[in-house]
């Protein structure tokens, strides 16, 4: 269960302040997969980072009950000069998990072959996403925060991701940020629309589509 | 329930960061972390060699190798702690991506690693020298010696933290830092003792807290030397003042340090 209370966040731009989130109060219901839609630059990733606790809001409060993942995406979080395995080991340690188990699972899931032992900077963005995804799936989170990552990779890998989430339904939920409604439709039960600093929670993707198209 | 929380979780984070730092810093070399010890040991070895070639001897009958090592190692500990703290974010920005890692963790992890590395370096130098001369040192006061090392690391970290916070607003600090700190090498008592200085010079030199720190280390290490001027409260005041200002600036700068 994650709730936002009066969360406000602004970034400095040349012409002053750009208000990304304007006094957002919202409860994310537990065990419901939620997709967050919004135009490019609307602040979807910022919202996700604030939910994760990577960034602090300027005003307001975020309450997290349960274990919430870092924002899983294709960039950030990995050290380019370390191998995939070493990166997994590091993340396992900071989450207090057994490094060997996590590494084994991530290696299996990401299907990187020999590249798993190569520096991450040699990876393509698809490979990075696979590593990030496999690694996050290795750790038992109550809520997975996903930033577009599922749109990456071939059809087979996407199917695998969906199956992994399906297997966790009931135990964990996911909050996905995307500007494509298709991804959201595939994964989510409910939808949140982020527009002009406000977030509206809709009970179905269709309802969200109507608002979003306006 | 968040397993990695509280003090224990933070220790796990520190541990992970230290192991990672050991791997990234010298991971490509075959000797790995050992390089961190070998490199400064060779550097100090060169200094000792030059010092002896010039037929200079340490004052008060102190062993020359130990004299140089008790000056240079705390100096390096101070400088490295400051430099590594100042650069802690720049090279690790991606790590702030994980909510449980805060800028302060990056700074502390580096200081802890630096501390243990330089203690090892000191041990290596003294051991090698003792094996060659068959003259093992008798440490006068382990506590004072150890606290001197801690003070060198704390002073460097506090300064580095303050500079880190300030450099967010004044990036020029990263360029000015190195030339501005260079005179410390000559004025911190690596090559002299406070007892041996003429009074007017000494009064000025004693404004430098690092000179006090090196005096502690030497008083703790040597039976032959006892500093008459080193003041614990003076050093502590510097550490607390720099540390407090550093924490405040970090707090103010934190928003700007976030990942984009």
């Amino acid at each position: 269960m994650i709730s936002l209370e009066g969360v406000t966040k602004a970034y400095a731009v040349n012409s002053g302040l750009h208000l990304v989130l304007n006094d957002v109060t919202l409860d994310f219901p537990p065990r419901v997969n939620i997709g967050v839609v919004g135009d490019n630059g609307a602040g979807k990733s910022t919202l996700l980072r604030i939910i994760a606790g990577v960034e602090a809001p300027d005003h307001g409060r975020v309450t997290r009950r349960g274990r919430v993942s870092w924002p899983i995406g294709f960039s950030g979080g990995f050290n380019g000069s370390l191998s995939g395995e070493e990166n997994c080991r590091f993340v396992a340690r900071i989450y207090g998990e057994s490094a060997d188990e996590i590494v084994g699972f991530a290696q299996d899931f990401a299907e990187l072959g020999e590249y798993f032992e190569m520096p991450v900077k040699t990876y393509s963005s698809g490979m990075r996403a696979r590593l990030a995804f496999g690694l996050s799936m290795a750790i038992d989170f109550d809520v997975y925060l996903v930033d577009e990552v599922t749109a990456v990779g071939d059809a087979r890998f996407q199917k695998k991701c969906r199956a992994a989430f399906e297997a966790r339904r009931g135990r964990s939920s996911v909050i996905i940020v995307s500007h494509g409604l298709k991804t959201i439709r595939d994964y989510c039960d409910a939808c949140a629309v982020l527009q002009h600093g406000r977030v509206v929670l809709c009970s179905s993707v269709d309802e969200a589509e109507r608002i979003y198209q306006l | 329930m968040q397993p990695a929380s509280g003090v224990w979780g933070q220790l796990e984070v520190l541990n992970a960061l230290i192991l990672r730092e050991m791997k990234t810093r010298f991971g490509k070399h075959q000797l790995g972390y050992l390089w961190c010890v070998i490199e400064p040991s060779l550097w100090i070895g060169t200094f000792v060699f030059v010092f002896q070639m010039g037929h200079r001897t340490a004052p008060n009958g102190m062993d020359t190798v130990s004299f140089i090592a008790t000056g240079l190692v705390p100096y390096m500990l101070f400088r490295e702690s400051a430099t590594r703290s100042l650069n802690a974010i720049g090279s690790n920005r991606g790590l702030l991506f994980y909510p449980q890692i805060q800028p302060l963790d990056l700074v502390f992890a580096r200081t802890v690693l630096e501390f243990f590395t330089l203690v090892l370096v000191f041990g290596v130098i003294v051991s090698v020298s003792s094996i060659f001369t068959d003259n093992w040192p008798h440490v006068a006061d382990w506590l004072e010696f150890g606290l001197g090392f801690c003070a060198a690391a704390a002073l460097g970290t506090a300064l580095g933290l303050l500079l880190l916070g300030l450099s967010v607003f004044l990036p020029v600090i990263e360029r000015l830092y190195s030339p501005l700190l260079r005179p410390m090498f000559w004025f911190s008592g690596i090559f002299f003792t406070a007892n041996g200085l003429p009074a007017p010079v000494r009064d000025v030199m004693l404004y430098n807290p690092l000179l006090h720190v090196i005096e502690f280390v030497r008083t703790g290490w040597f039976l032959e030397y006892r500093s008459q001027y080193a003041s614990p409260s003076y050093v502590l005041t510097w550490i607390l003042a720099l540390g407090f200002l550093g924490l405040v600036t970090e707090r103010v700068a934190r928003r700007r340090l976030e990942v984009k």
Side-chain angles (χ1 to χ4, degrees), chain A residues 70 72-74 78 127-137 149:
Chain A
W70 71 91
I72 303 153
F74 21 178
F78 290 130
M127 289 162 80
R128 270 168 186 259
R130 256 146 66 192
L131 181 65
F133 206 77
L135 175 57
S136 61
M137 281 289 136
V149 73

Side-chain angles (χ1 to χ4, degrees), chain A residues 121-184:
Chain A
K121 64 182 166 215
T122 63
Y123 291 17
S124 68
S125 59
M127 289 162 80
R128 270 168 186 259
R130 256 146 66 192
L131 181 65
F133 206 77
L135 175 57
S136 61
M137 281 289 136
I139 303 174
D140 256 314
F141 289 114
D142 296 316
V143 182
Y144 289 85
L145 306 176
V146 181
D147 196 348
E148 297 274 8
V149 73
T150 46
V152 189
D154 52 19
R156 203 176 64 83
F157 187 73
Q158 285 188 28
K159 217 168 140 188
K160 195 172 178 177
C161 293
R162 259 200 299 282
F165 275 124
E166 208 50 56
R168 276 160 201 273
R169 202 176 267 275
R171 275 191 298 143
S172 334
S173 61
V174 55
I175 298 176
I176 292 184
V177 145
S178 178
H179 52 246
L181 280 170
K182 188 189 173 308
T183 319
I184 307 270

Side-chain angles (χ1 to χ4, degrees), chain A residues 15 19 164 214:
Chain A
S15 58
L19 204 53
L214 289 177

Side-chain angles (χ1 to χ4, degrees), chain B residues 97-198:
Chain B
F97 207 69
Y98 299 102
Q100 63 270 58
I101 300 178
Q102 294 296 324
L104 278 183
D105 297 313
L106 300 175
V107 168
F108 288 143
R110 291 186 143 199
T111 299
V112 172
L113 180 59
E114 215 49 56
F115 182 84
F116 286 111
T117 305
L118 282 164
V119 166
L120 262 177
V121 167
F122 187 82
V124 166
I125 294 162
V126 171
S127 306
V128 168
S129 139
S130 301
I131 289 167
F132 276 109
T133 58
D134 200 26
N135 181 16
W136 291 84
H138 300 280
V139 181
D141 184 351
W142 279 109
L143 183 68
E144 191 160 14
F145 173 73
L147 285 177
F149 263 72
C150 293
L155 200 58
T157 308
L159 177 67
L161 186 63
L162 176 60
L163 293 176
L164 168 66
L166 291 178
S167 70
V168 170
F169 305 100
L170 289 169
V172 72
I173 284 179
E174 279 169 61
R175 288 174 186 280
L176 287 181
Y177 156 80
S178 184
L180 283 181
L181 223 64
R182 197 152 296 157
M184 297 282 276
F185 181 76
W186 301 106
F187 299 135
S188 300
I190 300 173
F191 304 108
F192 59 86
T193 62
N195 288 6
L197 289 174

